[in-house]
Amino acid sequence: QVQLVESGGGLVQAGDSLRVSCAASARTFRRYVMAWFRQGPGKEREFVAAINWNSGGTYYSDSVKGRFTISRDTMKNIMYQQMNSLQPEDTAVYYCAAKYYSSQYTYTGEYDYWGQGTQVTVSS
């Protein structure tokens, strides 16, 4: 069983940057895909970005591509998401998720493990 703990959320102004982190209690994520999802007010949970733990390959939703960068520290079992040029529409609870590798990684229902979420609020 994997435990995921997010941190780093907060209140920022539009145009600011923020980095959220996800610490995982696992010996290795070599066969895992890890991802960030978010759920804004009145919206369904949506895919943001994913990373193949083994290869470091990344995939981004169109809404954040070019602004967000997902990365991982394989020695510390921590996943990061650097969020630049934040906009009010980025306001959401950001969740860390993990699953064993497969070709499908953008759907909420595919993930086995979830963190508690961290709130990111962007004011205009």
Side-chain angles (χ1 to χ4, degrees):
Q1 190 173 18
V2 177
Q3 292 182 322
L4 305 172
V5 180
E6 301 97 332
S7 62
L11 174 63
V12 298
Q13 298 288 325
D16 286 353
S17 297
L18 199 64
R19 188 179 75 164
V20 291
S21 302
C22 174
S25 60
R27 299 178 69 181
T28 178
F29 284 105
R30 184 173 60 85
R31 299 185 184 89
Y32 274 77
V33 173
M34 294 190 66
W36 290 99
F37 287 78
R38 67 185 182 185
Q39 187 166 14
K43 298 180 179 180
E44 295 184 344
R45 193 169 299 185
E46 66 175 350
F47 172 80
V48 178
I51 187 165
N52 183 308
W53 200 261
N54 183 42
S55 70
T58 58
Y59 183 82
Y60 298 91
S61 69
D62 290 338
S63 63
V64 305
K65 191 176 300 181
R67 298 189 298 120
F68 290 12
T69 302
I70 188 171
S71 62
R72 88 289 198 221
D73 186 330
T74 58
M75 297 184 68
K76 297 181 178 180
N77 285 337
I78 300 176
M79 179 177 67
Y80 302 98
Q81 182 168 258
Q82 178 68 37
M83 303 181 291
N84 297 330
S85 301
L86 285 164
Q87 302 299 314
E89 55 263 34
D90 296 315
T91 294
V93 177
Y94 283 74
Y95 295 93
C96 175
K99 68 186 295 291
Y100 286 107
Y101 176 80
S102 75
S103 60
Q104 300 182 49
Y105 46 81
T106 64
Y107 299 102
T108 301
E110 296 293 322
Y111 286 80
D112 305 299
Y113 308 104
W114 293 86
Q116 81 290 343
T118 185
Q119 177 71 48
V120 174
T121 302
V122 185
S123 62
S124 59

